[in-house]
């Protein structure tokens, strides 16, 4: 088939509602007709009605168009699966995948390698084109023979969402080669490759990076010609890179949400019924909407200034009355989202400034270098891709842009030299999943001694499988063979409590992969406990235990993160918001998103000092009962000693006059301090920035209260008040410490540094005070810290950290070694750390101190050395995973270790158990 005809065939098949004839024609051209046995006699095809109870609620009937035999003899069935009237393409995904798995394992598809299927819902304009195949696991028999075991559930499905509302750009790119080859006889592997999400990801990354550069350059040009705006940005500490990243993140977020039908909803209609191409619609009708919003314009409408900014910072981000959804400005309902993503960057005055980014930045007709495609603008590029709020799972992958890609986008935005400087590498999902599950398992083992570790491990694996089943299938959970161990059911209440109060931190959060992964593990486990809680009439079961409710609770009470890069912080928050949106199914009242400003924060995780000056006196963080009495006694003793010296100098006459005066001033200062300690309320403002234990303890408690209030606050004005009070309280601790140490000159420098929004330090016990005051530290520290040689930049990093008190420091070493030490410091006793890092510390000279540190101050539990296996797509670094426990008393213990000497990324958990 020639190229033009191939494009036409793909467009006619995938850009419209499902058409049986068009689909059959596509299949005939995709596969070698001589290698296909078609099940048709005239116009009749082989059709089966459904008889299995497990699937009859979802599938009405299915048709087999034929069976294809590839050059290697493997067979693939081509099916059309017609869903029931009340089944949508977005629901029942797991059940539908398992239906095909059952077809392959136990039905008419036995002996076939895979299925290509069209899933068709009767009332939808879109349909799903999928490739499904069974996985094979290998088990050793009692005699030592390797048996191939075929299971129902491990089927993998790769899907395109196609139809009237979707663009077929990706399908066209990935099927053209098969349609235009002279020998149309593809192998099963080639067919599977046409459903590869990796190709989509790589292409999308490149386009996204180009869009970021164009946006940054366009803003730079605007600032160069608008001095007033440039001064405003400089005053706010806004740089073009940050602005461009946030703008793209905002637009991407809207692309995800418009797929849920949350925008363009007509008056009186339910959420979910909106315009699936709302952003493009706004651009096409920008003149109309600009005049609706701005009323009277004295210049041509500007898409960003006159439409996007009012949409972001007014319509989306302001709470409104029940019936006020901005009909007058946008001719439709606009949801109130909250959450901080749609607040002006660093509070710039969007309504008092004009940022006239060219409309061509968003859409144009410039050639792309590819035939039949024009337009290099942000909307032009995004419109070519399918967006799905469902994150890819090991068994269910949609060939579309999903939230997980945002993490890879973050990596992609860093040029090679920046990437190597920051040591940022995106961790593959299978690695994240394994590390999160193991960290959670060891947390439970340490805290739930009444439950055997083997039962806890089985519980987490079953919880993962249980999450595969749809809500209506969960009642038959036990029938499917997924029965919780009796010890788990008996201890469901205590386990649920442990899962609700766990605290988790990633000190180099990057794109947020690990907090999102931990959230999935925690929520799945709590959902799996719901049945046992219901049987026991536990009051916990009466509270909302939907995925949405449990995710929100987990984010609020369990997840924390820090990163030096403010762009990473924004992407991590975006990932968490999107993870909630996936499960937000309200059609009458969409819940506003929580504020994550004090959960995911910018800062340098390794430093609690500024310009070599410590910023927080630990005495200020002690409860008054424990420290105030001691300081009072110490102060009284010092006053008595100085009083005796005063009388000596007094008796010495003129010879001791200078010393007498200095001693008198010191005594006066100490008495003032004593008065403040004994009666803090009477101290007033005369303490000159000093804080006593009682006042500082009260302030610390107030910070924790404000954090809780801020998380769920919807009013922008109230948020600003809370933020100002928090800033003032946090500043009081630092200023008191600096004055106490006599470093008043550093205060001005610190204020200037804070204005850049890039703090080169992080005060853990202040910013996350609730964790340390209530729990004594984090239960889990997890992540993929940066890999940067300390000798880079003529040893600048080595100089920075040399005197910071790290016992693992080595000038010729790497910064990740310091993260191991910092991670242990952040843990409570009995807490667990799990990192993936370079494995050079195991053998290199610079790792000697770290090896000694780990051997004497931790209990290593798991060590996986990947040796020469390439884990990161963008790096050749050899890696390992280490999980250890912080123990005050370190008895003799064993460490489970293995070397990954073969490809094991797809089944890491199984590989580790076997080796």
């Amino acid at each position: 088939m020639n190229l033009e005809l191939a494009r036409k065939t793909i467009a006619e098949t995938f850009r419209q509602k499902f058409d049986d004839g068009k689909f059959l024609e596509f299949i005939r051209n995709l596969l070698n007709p001589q290698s296909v046995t078609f099940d048709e006699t005239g116009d009749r095809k082989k059709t089966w009605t459904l008889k299995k109870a497990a699937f009859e609620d979802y599938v009405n009937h299915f048709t087999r168009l034929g069976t294809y035999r590839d050059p290697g003899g493997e067979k693939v069935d081509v099916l059309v699966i017609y869903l029931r009237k009340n089944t949508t393409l977005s629901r029942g995904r797991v059940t539908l995948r398992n239906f095909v798995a059952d077809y392959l394992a136990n039905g008419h598809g036995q002996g076939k390698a895979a299925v290509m299927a069209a899933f068709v819902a009767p009332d939808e304009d879109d349909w799903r084109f999928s490739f499904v195949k069974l996985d094979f696991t290998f088990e050793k028999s009692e005699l030592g023979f390797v048996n191939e075991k075929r299971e129902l559930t491990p089927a993998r499905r790769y899907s395109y969402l196609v139809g009237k509302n979707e663009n077929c750009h990706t399908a066209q790119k990935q099927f053209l080669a098969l349609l235009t080859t002279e020998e149309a006889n593809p192998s099963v592997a080639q067919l599977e490759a046409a459903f590869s999400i990796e190709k989509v990801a790589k292409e999308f990354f490149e386009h996204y990076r180009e869009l970021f550069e164009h946006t940054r350059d366009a803003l730079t040009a605007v600032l160069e010609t608008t001095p007033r705006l440039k001064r405003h940005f400089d005053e706010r500490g806004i740089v073009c890179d940050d602005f461009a990243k946030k703008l793209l993140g905002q637009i991407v977020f809207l692309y995800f949400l418009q797929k849920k039908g949350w925008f363009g909803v007509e008056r009186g209609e339910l959420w979910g019924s909106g315009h699936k191409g709302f952003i493009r619609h706004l651009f096409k009708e920008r003149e109309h909407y600009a005049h609706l919003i701005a009323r009277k314009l004295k210049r041509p409408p500007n898409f960003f200034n006159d439409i996007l900014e009012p949409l972001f910072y007014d319509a989306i981000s302001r709470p409104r009355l029940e019936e006020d959804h901005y009909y007058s400005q946008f001719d439709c309902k606009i949801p109130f989202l909250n959450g901080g993503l749609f607040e002006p960057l660093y509070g710039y005055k969007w309504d008092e400034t004009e940022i006239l980014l060219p409309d061509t930045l968003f859409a144009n007709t410039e050639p792309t270098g590819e035939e039949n495609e024009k337009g290099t603008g942000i909307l032009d590029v995004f419109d070519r891709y399918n967006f799905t709020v469902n994150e890819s799972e090991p068994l269910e992958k949609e060939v579309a842009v999903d939230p997980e890609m945002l993490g890879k986008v973050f990596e992609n935005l860093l040029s090679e030299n920046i990437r190597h400087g920051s040591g940022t590498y995106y961790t593959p999902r299978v690695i994240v999943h394994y590390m999160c599950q193991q960290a959670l398992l060891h947390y439970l083992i340490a805290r739930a001694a009444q439950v055997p570790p083997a039962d806890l491990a089985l519980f987490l694996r079953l919880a993962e499988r249980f999450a595969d089943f749809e809500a209506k299938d969960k009642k038959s959970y036990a029938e499917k063979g997924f029965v919780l161990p009796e010890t788990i059911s008996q201890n469901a209440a205590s386990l649920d409590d442990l899962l609700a109060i766990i605290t988790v931190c990633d000190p180099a959060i990057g794109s947020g992969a690990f907090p999102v992964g931990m959230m999935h593990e925690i929520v799945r486990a709590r959902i799996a406990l719901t049945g046992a809680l219901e049987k026991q009439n536990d009051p916990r079961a009466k509270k909302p235990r939907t995925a949405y409710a449990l995710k929100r609770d987990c984010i609020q009470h369990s997840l924390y993160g820090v990163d030096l890069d403010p762009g990473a912080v924004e992407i991590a928050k975006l990932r968490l918001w999107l993870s909630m949106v996936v499960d937000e199914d309200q059609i009458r009242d969409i819940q506003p998103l929580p504020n994550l400003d004090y959960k995911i924060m910018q800062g340098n995780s390794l430093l609690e000092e500024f310009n070599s000056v410590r910023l927080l006196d630990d005495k200020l963080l002690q409860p008054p009962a424990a420290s105030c009495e001691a300081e009072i006694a110490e102060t009284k003793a010092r006053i008595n000693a100085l009083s005796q010296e005063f009388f000596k100098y007094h008796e010495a006459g003129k010879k001791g006059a200078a010393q007498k005066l200095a001693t008198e001033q010191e005594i006066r200062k100490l008495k003032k301090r004593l008065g403040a300690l004994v009666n803090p309320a009477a101290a007033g403002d005369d303490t000159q920035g000093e804080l006593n234990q009682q006042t500082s303890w009260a302030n610390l408690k107030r910070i924790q209260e404000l954090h809780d209030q801020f998380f769920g606050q919807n009013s922008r004005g109230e948020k600003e008040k809370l933020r100002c009070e928090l800033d003032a309280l946090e500043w009081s601790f630092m200023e008191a410490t600096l004055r106490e140490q006599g470093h008043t000159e550093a205060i001005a420098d610190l204020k200037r540094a804070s204005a850049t929004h890039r703090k080169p330090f992080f005060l853990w016990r202040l910013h996350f005070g609730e964790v340390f005051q209530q729990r004594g530290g984090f239960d889990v520290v997890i992540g993929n810290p940066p890999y940067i040689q300390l000798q880079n930049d003529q040893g600048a990093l080595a100089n920075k950290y040399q005197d910071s008190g790290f016992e693992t420091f080595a000038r010729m070493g790497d910064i990740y070694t310091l993260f191991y030490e910092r991670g242990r410091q952040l843990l409570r006793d009995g807490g667990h750390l799990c990192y993936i890092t370079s494995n050079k510390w195991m053998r290199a000279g610079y790792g000697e101190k770290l090896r000694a540190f780990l051997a004497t101050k931790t209990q290593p539990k798991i060590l996986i050395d990947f040796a020469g296996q390439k884990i990161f797509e963008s790096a050749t670094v050899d890696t390992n995973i280490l999980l250890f426990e912080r123990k005050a008393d370190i008895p003799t213990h064993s460490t489970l270790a293995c070397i990954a000497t073969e490809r094991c990324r797809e089944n890491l958990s199984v590989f580790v158990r076997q080796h």
Side-chain angles (χ1 to χ4, degrees):
M1 179 180 287
N2 64 48
L3 188 61
E4 185 177 347
L5 184 56
R7 286 199 177 100
K8 181 180 178 183
T9 299
I10 292 172
E12 290 180 348
T13 305
F14 294 140
R15 286 300 303 273
Q16 63 178 357
K17 195 169 181 175
F18 180 76
D19 182 287
D20 192 279
K22 294 289 185 185
F23 183 65
L24 179 58
E25 184 66 20
F26 169 77
I27 293 298
R28 285 182 180 278
N29 286 289
L30 179 68
L31 309 174
N32 184 351
Q34 283 73 42
S35 300
V36 181
T37 304
F38 287 100
D39 293 342
E40 54 183 337
T41 304
D43 293 330
R44 300 185 62 187
K45 303 173 183 64
K46 193 69 175 177
T47 298
W48 291 271
T49 55
L50 210 65
K51 296 180 180 180
K52 286 200 174 184
F55 311 116
E56 63 182 358
D57 286 346
Y58 293 89
V59 179
N60 185 56
H61 66 281
F62 66 97
T63 297
R64 185 172 68 191
L65 301 185
T67 301
Y68 169 69
R69 182 190 293 270
D70 82 346
E74 290 193 288
K75 296 179 181 179
V76 177
D77 274 358
V78 182
L79 306 181
V80 180
I81 300 169
Y82 295 92
L83 310 183
R84 290 201 176 274
K85 190 174 181 65
N86 59 351
T87 300
T88 66
L89 294 171
S90 60
R91 292 189 180 278
R93 298 196 312 161
V94 175
T95 302
L96 295 176
R97 184 181 76 234
N98 288 340
F99 162 69
V100 179
D102 182 62
Y103 171 88
L104 285 168
N106 307 307
H108 303 284
Q110 289 188 66
K112 312 295 172 57
V115 158
M116 283 199 299
F119 291 86
V120 183
D123 294 331
E124 296 194 32
D125 291 330
D126 297 334
W127 49 286
R128 197 175 293 279
F129 182 38
S130 301
F131 180 91
V132 188
K133 71 170 187 175
L134 283 177
D135 272 356
F136 298 92
T137 58
F138 297 92
E139 293 187 349
K140 286 186 178 179
S141 68
E142 294 180 0
L143 297 177
F145 296 107
V146 175
N147 299 323
E148 186 179 85
K149 182 179 179 183
R150 191 188 286 254
E151 295 182 349
L152 170 70
T153 49
R156 296 179 184 272
R157 181 168 77 150
Y158 308 85
S159 299
Y160 289 93
L161 183 64
V162 294
K164 188 176 179 180
N165 297 309
E166 300 295 333
N167 192 299
C168 66
H169 165 83
T170 302
Q172 185 174 100
K173 295 220 33 162
Q174 301 202 170
F175 283 107
L176 272 179
L178 294 179
L179 287 171
T180 55
T181 183
E182 293 183 3
E183 297 181 4
N185 203 17
S187 66
V188 171
Q190 287 175 309
L191 291 175
E192 183 177 356
F195 289 82
S196 168
I197 193 171
E198 284 74 20
K199 294 179 182 178
V200 183
K202 185 175 181 180
E203 182 185 87
F204 183 72
F205 302 159
E206 293 302 320
H207 286 315
Y208 199 100
R209 178 161 58 186
E210 291 173 0
L211 293 176
F212 161 71
E213 292 170 352
H214 293 164
T215 305
R216 178 197 59 201
D217 295 346
L219 178 61
T220 301
V222 169
L223 293 179
E224 288 175 351
T225 58
T226 318
R228 181 172 173 270
L229 179 62
K230 188 176 187 308
R231 284 195 301 272
H232 182 59
F233 272 32
D234 290 343
E235 291 167 359
R236 297 276 170 172
I238 300 172
V239 297
C240 292
D241 277 23
D242 291 349
F243 193 96
K245 288 177 184 177
K246 179 152 187 171
L247 174 56
L248 285 174
Q250 290 167 323
I251 296 175
V252 162
F253 195 80
L254 295 189
Y255 264 78
F256 281 114
L257 295 195
Q258 72 180 1
K259 288 298 181 183
K260 291 180 72 73
W262 283 8
F263 291 97
V265 178
E266 295 183 4
R267 187 186 294 270
E269 296 298 321
L270 299 175
W271 299 110
S273 62
H275 199 312
K276 299 294 179 69
F278 180 68
I279 311 303
R280 172 64 72 169
H281 170 72
L282 285 182
F283 185 83
K284 286 182 177 178
E285 304 296 330
R286 59 190 180 278
E287 187 165 346
H288 165 71
Y289 286 109
H291 286 291
L292 269 183
I293 297 167
R295 303 302 177 191
K296 294 181 180 179
L297 278 176
K298 298 180 180 179
R299 52 164 176 71
N302 179 273
F303 183 60
F304 176 75
N305 191 81
D306 303 328
I307 296 175
L308 286 186
E309 282 191 309
L311 176 66
F312 294 163
Y313 307 132
D314 191 20
I316 289 177
S317 63
R318 292 187 189 277
R320 68 289 308 268
L321 298 175
E322 185 176 351
E323 293 302 322
D324 174 19
H325 289 293
Y326 287 80
Y327 296 112
S328 61
Q329 295 184 21
F330 291 95
D331 292 334
C332 64
K333 290 164 64 173
I334 300 291
F336 165 55
L337 296 179
N338 195 34
L341 177 63
F342 295 101
E343 290 181 359
L345 183 64
Y346 306 141
Y348 83 88
K349 302 295 184 182
W350 71 273
D351 51 349
E352 297 177 12
T353 58
E354 286 201 332
I355 304 177
L356 303 179
L357 294 173
D359 284 356
T360 52
L361 174 66
F362 300 93
N364 56 60
T365 57
E366 293 180 12
T368 64
E370 296 186 24
E371 278 189 70
N372 298 336
E373 283 189 1
K374 287 187 177 182
T376 59
I378 297 171
L379 307 189
D380 299 323
V381 172
F382 287 176
D383 281 346
R384 293 188 190 115
Y385 293 92
N386 293 2
F387 283 78
T388 174
V389 291
N390 294 301
E391 294 210 26
S392 289
E393 299 172 1
L395 301 179
E396 185 79 33
K397 294 181 182 292
E398 193 160 329
V399 189
V401 177
D402 73 357
E404 185 188 9
M405 279 195 188
L406 296 182
K408 297 180 180 179
V409 164
F410 165 66
E411 177 192 346
N412 193 61
L413 286 182
L414 302 174
S415 61
E416 284 301 315
N417 59 322
I418 296 176
R419 182 181 294 131
H420 291 161
S422 67
T424 303
Y425 302 106
Y426 186 79
T427 314
R429 172 178 285 272
V430 66
I431 301 293
V432 173
H433 170 62
Y434 174 79
M435 291 172 60
C436 290
Q437 192 169 92
Q438 289 301 313
L440 184 60
L441 171 62
H442 282 80
Y443 162 75
L444 292 176
I445 291 173
R447 306 291 169 187
Q450 72 276 22
V451 182
D455 286 359
L456 289 169
L458 178 59
F459 161 54
L460 292 183
R461 291 201 297 272
L462 288 177
E464 180 185 353
R465 296 286 294 278
F466 182 56
D468 265 356
F469 293 97
E470 309 300 328
K472 63 174 65 179
D473 289 332
K474 294 191 191 302
K475 292 183 179 179
S476 57
Y477 183 58
E479 298 173 7
K480 299 176 186 298
F482 299 106
V483 180
L484 293 178
E486 186 62 27
T487 56
I488 300 296
S489 297
Q490 290 173 351
N491 293 280
S494 59
L495 289 172
D496 192 64
D497 283 342
L498 287 173
L499 292 166
I501 65 172
I502 185 175
T503 54
V504 180
C505 181
D506 185 342
I509 195 170
S511 61
F514 285 98
V516 171
M518 285 298 299
M519 177 187 65
H520 287 318
E521 296 296 328
I522 293 166
V523 169
R524 281 196 287 253
R526 296 190 70 186
I527 288 176
L529 291 171
T530 300
L533 295 173
E534 289 174 345
K535 287 181 181 179
Q536 298 163 11
N537 293 317
D538 193 284
R540 295 169 185 78
K542 297 178 182 179
K543 298 178 181 178
R545 293 183 70 84
T546 62
Y548 177 86
L550 292 176
K551 281 182 178 181
R552 188 181 181 102
D553 185 74
C554 179
I555 292 171
Q556 181 172 8
H557 297 112
S558 297
L559 303 184
Y560 297 83
V562 180
D563 202 282
L564 187 61
D565 189 326
V569 170
E570 291 302 315
I571 294 239
K573 291 193 288 188
L574 184 58
R575 286 285 307 279
L576 288 169
W577 283 321
L578 281 171
S579 72
M580 296 181 67
V581 167
V582 169
D583 295 304
E584 172 60 280
D585 290 325
Q586 294 293 330
I587 58 176
R588 296 190 180 278
D589 186 20
I590 295 172
Q591 299 297 309
L593 297 168
N595 302 292
L596 304 180
D597 296 44
Y598 297 98
K599 303 292 296 178
I600 314 298
M601 301 185 70
Q602 186 276 328
N604 186 334
S605 293
L606 298 177
L607 293 179
E608 295 189 274
E609 56 194 45
F610 178 71
N611 289 348
S612 301
V613 178
R614 188 165 179 79
L615 291 174
L616 192 59
D617 188 341
D618 288 340
K619 290 189 302 182
L620 299 178
L621 303 178
Q622 299 300 318
S627 61
C628 220
E629 292 180 5
E631 188 174 356
I632 288 173
E634 183 183 337
T635 304
K636 286 181 177 179
R638 181 64 178 152
I639 290 173
N640 289 335
L642 287 174
S643 296
Q644 294 177 11
E645 292 183 18
F646 176 82
F647 286 115
K648 289 181 181 178
Y649 294 136
H650 178 72
E651 292 174 356
K654 292 183 179 180
K655 292 182 179 180
Q659 293 91 331
K660 173 185 172 182
L661 179 61
T663 304
E664 184 179 21
Q665 291 174 344
E666 182 67 17
I667 291 173
R668 189 179 297 118
K669 180 180 177 182
L670 286 171
K671 284 183 175 180
K672 190 175 183 179
R673 177 67 172 166
L674 181 62
L677 289 169
V678 174
N679 185 11
D685 295 328
D686 295 332
T687 54
Q688 297 182 348
E690 294 182 5
L691 292 177
N692 58 65
Q693 267 67 34
Q694 290 185 8
T695 303
S696 62
W697 186 254
N699 286 351
L700 196 62
K701 292 291 186 183
R702 178 59 178 163
I703 288 174
Q704 296 169 22
E705 293 172 4
L706 293 174
H707 283 175
D708 285 339
Q709 293 177 29
F710 192 88
F711 183 84
Q713 180 56 248
N714 295 332
S715 166
R716 184 180 294 176
E718 289 301 314
K719 280 194 287 188
E720 192 56 36
K721 289 180 182 178
L722 293 173
R723 191 180 279 116
C724 288
E725 186 176 354
L726 278 165
D727 288 346
L729 287 171
E730 291 171 356
W731 181 259
S732 69
F733 280 89
M734 292 186 287
E735 186 172 12
T737 301
L738 291 172
R739 290 189 184 280
E740 181 74 19
Q741 296 176 353
H743 292 294
T744 54
E745 73 285 351
I747 294 176
D749 293 338
L750 184 60
K751 286 183 177 179
R752 283 191 290 271
S754 298
T756 66
H757 310 289
R758 285 168 167 76
K759 296 194 300 290
F761 58 86
F762 191 76
L763 306 180
W764 288 95
R765 286 162 179 77
L766 182 62
H767 296 310
F768 297 154
E770 63 272 16
V771 175
F772 294 94
Q773 299 302 330
Q774 298 169 17
R775 308 278 290 167
F778 290 98
D779 294 301
V780 172
V781 171
I782 191 168
N784 174 17
Y787 317 156
I788 313 172
Q789 293 181 3
L790 294 174
Q791 277 299 310
N792 284 1
D793 299 327
Q794 289 78 47
L797 279 177
N799 296 335
K800 178 187 291 188
Y801 295 109
Q802 183 168 8
D803 298 321
S804 296
F806 287 102
E807 58 183 278
T808 57
F809 173 85
R811 286 197 67 87
M812 300 304 294
D814 197 291
I815 201 168
Y816 70 79
T817 63
L818 309 184
F819 271 91
Y820 275 110
E821 186 173 347
R822 172 64 85 213
R824 183 194 177 278
Q825 293 169 359
L826 298 177
L827 289 173
R828 63 182 298 189
D829 189 38
H832 290 81
L833 177 146
C834 190
Y835 280 168
I836 180 169
T837 69
S838 163
N839 64 6
K840 288 185 178 180
W841 64 267
M842 298 171 66
R843 291 169 287 274
Y846 75 73
E848 182 178 359
K849 291 182 179 179
L850 178 59
R851 294 194 295 271
F853 176 85
L854 295 172
T856 58
K857 295 192 174 180
T858 76
Q859 281 194 12
K861 299 287 187 178
I862 297 175
L863 177 61
I864 304 170
D865 184 9
F866 289 103
Q869 300 300 313
K870 183 179 179 182
I871 297 301
F872 301 114
E873 294 179 6
S874 57
T876 57
V877 62
D878 290 340
T879 57
N880 61 216
I881 291 174
L882 175 66
L883 185 148
F884 69 66
E885 182 178 6
R886 172 174 175 163
K887 279 285 190 181
D889 178 30
I890 307 202
T892 301
H893 66 280
S894 60
T895 302
L896 301 178
C898 77
I899 298 177
T901 56
E902 59 186 78
R903 298 290 293 177
C904 60
R905 285 177 53 176
E906 289 302 317
N907 293 290
L908 182 58
S909 296
V910 174
F911 179 89
V912 173
R913 286 199 300 272
Q914 292 176 346
H915 294 78

